[in-house]
Amino acid sequence: MNKRVLLLGAGGFIGSHLVEALSKKAIYSTTAVDLTKDKLDEILRPHIGVEFLQLDIAEDPERIGLLIQEHDLVVNMVAIANPGIYVQDPVSTFELDFTENMNIIRQCIKHQKRLIHFSTSEVYGKSPSIYQPDQAFYFDEDNSDLILGPVSKHRWIYASAKQLLDRVIHAYGLKDELDYTIIRPFNYVGPRIDFLPSEEEGFPRVFSFFMDALLYGKPLYLVNGGDQKRCYTYIKDATDAHLRIIENEGGSCSKQIFNIGSDENETSIEGLAKTMFHLYNTYFGRNASSNSTFESISGDEFYGEGYDDSDRRLPNSKKIRELTGWSPYYSLEAMLKETMGYYIARHENVVIQ
Ligand code: UDP
């Protein structure tokens, strides 16, 4: 019999790629739950054997409980995961990312279902490099300290909520009441990430801001100068890791926390802006507008009061590599070519129609 997988929050960026990958594996039957399915519409065809349920998990917790009972495995991707929203609406961030997530965890315990829970690399907060700038500190799932800023910097409400969930899940695991895997994504990028701010109101992640600036002839804003660093991971590589965790061969992923990210793809945000600008003009042969300049801006001015930042996020990804054989394939340049190509083609379609 097929393994029945319940994907909660399946309509987002990560979920849409996981649904697509699972639909190609005959051993799984998948139920995808979310408020909207715009991103799934790109990939869902009647024949692919995925059932989509349009549900608000906050409105219908009992239905969520029943669904959890009916499936073998739960993948929880329910979250607000954009820094702009943590700053603009910290209470909603907490309610969804903590309170509603707790209901999912409790139902998994009640019905004894394995839970794959999406945490975040943001739980690590700031790196110790802020105290010792000459050293590179790798975030280790089981040993690194988690360094968050003060309450007045309410950006950290997201990391605090997610961190407490990680601790709660771990604690239930200690009591042998929950079989789980926690995933900490390191800046995934790829088609269907977010939206472009010229086309929709709000604060997407940095890739979408820069892509938007290039397509619509606006400045590329470097928050607080753009020295902060991130390691980018292509969504296809990440999805390969997620599938290995779902497979859980020999139970190797049970009760583990995994960083999913490639330290080989580290760049400063200024470096990301310059690489995207360069690819836009050379690889894609387009002429960036003279308005697409690089402008430094303060975090409070860009996002609003309460913004603070992670200075550097370097994953130690030894554990996922050793326990599952995972190895990322895409370099930063390769993933930017793929992702920018998707958005440029989409933009041309919009303009032509
Ligand atoms: N950032 C930027 N310009 C933008 C948007 C974001 O310089 O137009 C910075 C942001 O301050 C952060 C980094 O880019 O330091 C990555 O931001 P993102 O929103 O992608 O997510 P994060 O990695 O902080 O969770």
Side-chain angles (χ1 to χ4, degrees):
M1 203 172 112
N2 283 1
K3 199 178 228 181
R4 290 159 307 173
V5 186
L6 178 66
L7 301 184
L8 299 174
F13 165 49
I14 297 175
S16 72
H17 285 272
L18 191 52
V19 167
E20 188 175 20
L22 285 170
S23 73
K24 292 176 184 154
K25 302 234 169 204
I27 52 166
Y28 297 110
S29 64
T30 306
T31 309
V33 175
D34 212 322
L35 287 171
T36 56
K37 67 176 188 36
D38 304 356
K39 290 177 198 277
L40 295 175
D41 280 340
E42 269 188 41
I43 50 140
L44 278 182
R45 304 280 175 271
H47 62 273
I48 71 171
V50 173
E51 187 184 1
F52 176 76
L53 298 177
Q54 189 163 16
L55 267 182
D56 183 342
I57 66 147
E59 294 291 315
D60 210 343
E62 280 166 26
R63 179 91 195 275
I64 296 299
L66 280 174
L67 283 168
I68 289 175
Q69 191 173 9
E70 287 165 3
H71 288 77
D72 300 310
L73 177 71
V74 178
V75 181
N76 177 25
M77 295 169 286
V78 173
I80 289 171
N82 284 24
I85 307 178
Y86 322 153
V87 175
Q88 306 284 331
D89 195 351
V91 171
S92 299
T93 303
F94 169 76
E95 289 297 350
L96 187 71
D97 291 1
F98 187 79
T99 314
E100 299 305 335
N101 271 261
M102 265 317 297
N103 181 46
I104 295 168
I105 294 166
R106 289 204 171 102
Q107 294 292 341
C108 289
I109 294 164
K110 180 173 170 193
H111 299 296
Q112 285 298 288
K113 303 295 174 174
R114 176 166 152 70
L115 169 67
I116 296 176
H117 174 80
F118 277 77
S119 174
T120 169
S121 51
E122 191 153 326
V123 295
Y124 294 106
K126 303 181 188 199
S127 88
S129 307
I130 52 170
Y131 309 116
Q132 289 167 269
D134 300 338
Q135 279 193 53
F137 291 91
Y138 285 78
F139 292 139
D140 177 289
E141 297 96 333
D142 303 311
N143 296 298
S144 289
D145 290 332
L146 311 177
I147 310 171
L148 306 185
V151 171
S152 58
K153 302 286 183 192
H154 45 263
R155 184 235 167 99
W156 300 110
I157 198 163
Y158 168 72
S160 308
K162 297 294 262 186
Q163 185 194 128
L164 186 52
L165 286 180
D166 287 5
R167 293 185 189 279
V168 169
I169 291 169
H170 173 256
Y172 277 111
L174 286 178
K175 288 172 73 180
D176 264 337
E177 290 183 17
L178 182 64
D179 179 15
Y180 69 87
T181 303
I182 290 172
I183 294 174
R184 292 184 179 156
F186 279 71
N187 291 83
Y188 295 173
V189 86
R192 301 194 289 280
I193 186 173
D194 303 321
F195 55 89
L196 299 182
S198 294
E199 297 171 6
E200 224 177 283
E201 211 181 319
F203 285 85
R205 278 156 285 198
V206 67
F207 170 87
S208 309
F209 268 113
F210 291 167
M211 191 72 253
D212 188 72
L214 292 168
L215 289 172
Y216 287 94
K218 295 176 175 176
L220 288 80
Y221 287 107
L222 305 175
V223 171
N224 296 326
D227 289 341
Q228 61 277 40
K229 290 181 177 153
R230 297 290 188 270
C231 293
Y232 284 90
T233 311
Y234 192 49
I235 190 67
K236 277 198 179 156
D237 280 333
T239 303
D240 175 30
H242 305 157
L243 283 178
R244 288 166 192 262
I245 289 168
I246 288 176
E247 215 166 283
N248 195 18
E249 211 180 299
S252 61
C253 300
S254 283
K255 295 191 181 174
Q256 295 289 351
I257 303 178
F258 289 116
N259 290 337
I260 310 292
S262 166
D263 57 292
E264 284 152 27
N265 294 329
E266 187 176 42
T267 173
S268 68
I269 297 302
E270 184 185 12
L272 178 71
K274 294 200 163 150
T275 307
M276 287 179 67
F277 184 90
H278 176 73
L279 288 175
Y280 191 72
N281 284 327
T282 55
Y283 181 74
F284 292 105
R286 297 168 71 97
N287 278 329
S289 152
S290 56
N291 294 330
S292 292
T293 48
F294 304 101
E295 309 274 343
S296 185
I297 187 169
S298 77
D300 279 0
E301 206 182 325
F302 190 78
Y303 288 106
E305 209 181 309
Y307 185 72
D308 198 5
D309 208 355
S310 302
D311 53 307
R312 193 170 188 190
R313 269 186 211 153
L314 269 175
N316 175 344
S317 58
K318 201 166 160 240
K319 190 157 60 157
I320 184 75
R321 290 170 193 258
E322 282 182 3
L323 292 184
T324 71
W326 179 71
S327 168
Y329 169 79
Y330 285 84
S331 66
L332 180 66
E333 193 171 301
M335 76 181 79
L336 289 177
K337 284 179 179 169
E338 296 280 332
T339 313
M340 291 174 73
Y342 167 89
Y343 280 96
I344 290 168
R346 197 169 142 273
H347 185 71
E348 277 167 0
N349 257 346
V350 172
V351 171
I352 288 162
Q353 275 169 9

